[in-house]
Amino acid sequence: MLAGNMREHPSDRVDLRSDTVTQPTDKMRKSMSSAPVGDDVLGDDPTVIELENRLSSMLGKEAALFVPSGTMSNAIAIRSHTKPGDEIITEATSHIYVYEGGGFAALSGCSVALVPGKRGIMNPDDVAKAIRKENGSLGHFPNGSLVCVENTSNRGGGTCYPIETLDAIAKVAHDNTCAAHMDGARLFNASIATGISPARMVRDYESISICLSKGLGAPVGSVLVGSSDFIALAHRWRKMFGGGMRQAGIIAAGGIFALENHIERMAEDHARAQKLAESIRNMEGFDVDISTVESNMVYVTTDKLASEVIESLSSKGIDALDLGPNMIRLVTHLHITDEDIERTIDAFASL
Ligand code: TLP
């Protein structure tokens, strides 16, 4: 299955920094260039409407909203579910906490209760312990009102939540009158890795954010999915956050193409990440916790400074990210071929 894969985007470099680096393929560009468009702020763009309808039905929900980025999608979800002074509950290394500029505080006026995760995965009991309520605290506590779950977990290593854990966390949230939001930036990776349908995974979640511009390989955009009432509220916040786009069908078409053509192939990205991980973990000076390699990411710990390793890799044509003093992340995606994996393994071996 892995053999004979062609690089869609010609480059003499192997770019493993993120799955966000993909370029639209020729076929995707063609579908974008011929997409019918309209003014989506006026609700007129047929391609945006088609994308939203497809994703809401794929996830078994009523409605969806196309937004410019995963960060905005999470921000709109948080703003729609909470009031200023509320608290969100999320895993300590989650994207919402670590990488969104503190948007939950600045844009929603929320504090955060952090749950320690194992490989980025929260335990339902720890989520329950982290939920605080104003009621009964003589006004001391904020109101925990939203539990956020990231699947796959990026900093966890691209790890996938077991379905029982997803269900149990949503139950804990609901038993404590909290909403449950899923940052499903890489939900389709989780689905391919676990064999569980996206609709089943998100069954008990009120809102889900899906990124089109990561493993799916579209150039721009995310989609927030939920009930009709929730999406009506989210639509208002998208307006206020400045995320309404006019003839957005031209980019939504890339998302539709990706949903039709790029989901099943993620299995190849996962197999290539596995190959990378297994080869690098046996090399002196490097280690990989293989139990975290469940999808398209490999986090490598290094004896040397990660920034130095990145520089040496770069001189050999391999691009990676240092995400800590001794931590390097490699992410496989649409443009990474078997030859690229061999080249990367050789580059690590020569360091
Ligand atoms: N993640 C990016 C960086 O910001 C770290 C990456 O290269 O992995 N949720 C999750 C789980 C994400 O990993 C990301 C992006 C987002 C949300 C935000 O998406 P964008 O970049 O579209 O705002």
Side-chain angles (χ1 to χ4, degrees), residues 17-20 68-72 74 94-96 99-100 150-154 183-186 209 211 213-214 221-222 297 299 321 323 329 331:
R17 288 173 301 165
S18 183
D19 48 11
T20 59
S69 70
T71 301
M72 189 185 283
N74 283 331
S94 63
H95 198 275
I96 284 176
Y99 292 124
E100 296 185 7
E150 187 176 305
N151 196 24
T152 64
S153 159
N154 179 344
D183 178 354
R186 298 183 177 83
S209 170
C211 287
S213 60
K214 306 213 161 52
S222 289
M297 295 187 175
Y299 279 79
L321 279 186
L323 288 184
R329 189 185 71 167
V331 187

Side-chain angles (χ1 to χ4, degrees), residues 220-234:
V220 187
S222 289
V223 181
L224 184 59
V225 184
S227 68
S228 303
D229 285 350
F230 172 79
I231 292 299
L233 190 57

Side-chain angles (χ1 to χ4, degrees), residues 279-346:
S279 303
I280 295 172
R281 73 195 275 242
N282 292 319
M283 295 179 189
E284 213 180 302
F286 299 109
D287 198 17
V288 177
D289 176 356
I290 201 82
S291 75
T292 67
V293 186
E294 294 186 59
S295 60
N296 66 334
M297 295 187 175
V298 182
Y299 279 79
V300 183
T301 48
T302 71
D303 289 352
K304 286 192 217 150
L305 271 182
S307 53
E308 285 171 13
V309 176
I310 296 280
E311 227 175 85
S312 313
L313 286 172
S314 173
S315 70
K316 296 171 195 297
I318 314 292
D319 296 313
L321 279 186
D322 51 330
L323 288 184
N326 298 91
M327 176 78 79
I328 291 174
R329 189 185 71 167
L330 308 169
V331 187
T332 54
H333 52 75
L334 200 56
H335 303 322
I336 299 299
T337 64
D338 290 341
E339 293 71 38
D340 292 336
I341 296 298
E342 293 304 331
R343 196 172 148 194
T344 307
I345 293 167
D346 289 349

Side-chain angles (χ1 to χ4, degrees), residues 68-83:
S69 70
T71 301
M72 189 185 283
S73 191
N74 283 331
I76 291 173
I78 295 169
R79 192 64 193 83
S80 302
H81 285 300
T82 63
K83 294 196 299 294

Side-chain angles (χ1 to χ4, degrees), residues 2-320:
L2 300 187
N5 204 296
M6 292 295 291
R7 189 197 294 277
E8 290 265 11
H9 166 57
S11 165
D12 61 353
R13 301 192 67 80
V14 180
D15 193 346
L16 295 160
R17 288 173 301 165
S18 183
D19 48 11
T20 59
V21 302
T22 57
Q23 305 245 346
T25 61
D26 285 346
K27 282 187 187 153
M28 182 184 280
R29 281 179 194 269
K30 279 204 187 83
S31 77
M32 294 170 75
S33 68
S34 60
V37 297
D39 187 333
D40 184 52
V41 172
L42 301 179
D44 284 351
D45 191 305
T47 309
V48 171
I49 293 169
E50 188 188 334
L51 172 68
E52 292 172 342
N53 288 343
R54 266 182 199 236
L55 263 168
S56 56
S57 72
M58 284 172 97
L59 298 194
K61 304 287 179 195
E62 288 171 352
L65 187 69
F66 187 43
V67 297
S69 70
T71 301
M72 189 185 283
S73 191
N74 283 331
I76 291 173
I78 295 169
R79 192 64 193 83
S80 302
H81 285 300
T82 63
K83 294 196 299 294
D86 281 2
E87 185 160 85
I88 64 166
I89 294 96
T90 189
E91 200 269 333
T93 65
S94 63
H95 198 275
I96 284 176
Y97 177 63
V98 179
Y99 292 124
E100 296 185 7
F104 58 88
L107 304 173
S108 295
C110 286
S111 58
V112 63
L114 295 178
V115 178
K118 194 169 169 216
R119 306 180 309 132
I121 305 292
M122 299 185 290
N123 170 314
D125 291 338
D126 293 335
V127 174
K129 275 186 221 143
I131 299 174
R132 304 192 288 165
K133 290 288 180 187
E134 174 260 320
N135 201 359
S137 78
L138 297 174
H140 285 64
F141 290 163
N143 241 337
S145 59
L146 177 66
V147 173
C148 303
V149 174
E150 187 176 305
N151 196 24
T152 64
S153 159
N154 179 344
R155 286 300 301 242
T159 46
C160 304
Y161 270 85
I163 188 68
E164 302 75 28
T165 312
L166 287 178
D167 292 354
I169 290 176
K171 184 168 186 318
V172 163
H174 299 150
D175 287 350
N176 289 282
T177 58
C178 291
H181 168 69
M182 191 181 295
D183 178 354
R186 298 183 177 83
L187 187 75
F188 288 100
N189 290 92
S191 172
I192 291 295
T194 61
I196 296 170
S197 76
R200 175 62 190 88
M201 281 192 282
V202 307
R203 186 190 67 187
D204 299 340
Y205 286 73
E206 277 73 41
S207 59
I208 307 97
S209 170
I210 302 285
C211 287
L212 304 168
S213 60
K214 306 213 161 52
L216 283 170
V220 187
S222 289
V223 181
L224 184 59
V225 184
S227 68
S228 303
D229 285 350
F230 172 79
I231 292 299
L233 190 57
H235 189 275
R236 201 168 135 61
W237 286 113
R238 184 184 74 173
K239 177 79 220 173
M240 285 190 265
F241 288 165
M245 298 179 284
R246 300 291 176 174
Q247 283 67 24
I250 198 142
I251 50 176
I256 293 172
F257 183 90
L259 291 175
E260 283 174 353
N261 296 284
H262 292 169
I263 295 179
E264 297 301 324
R265 64 151 307 286
M266 283 177 179
E268 298 178 31
D269 298 342
H270 298 181
R272 292 191 177 103
Q274 202 51 243
K275 173 95 204 281
L276 260 184
E278 269 158 21
S279 303
I280 295 172
R281 73 195 275 242
N282 292 319
M283 295 179 189
E284 213 180 302
F286 299 109
D287 198 17
V288 177
D289 176 356
I290 201 82
S291 75
T292 67
V293 186
E294 294 186 59
S295 60
N296 66 334
M297 295 187 175
V298 182
Y299 279 79
V300 183
T301 48
T302 71
D303 289 352
K304 286 192 217 150
L305 271 182
S307 53
E308 285 171 13
V309 176
I310 296 280
E311 227 175 85
S312 313
L313 286 172
S314 173
S315 70
K316 296 171 195 297
I318 314 292
D319 296 313

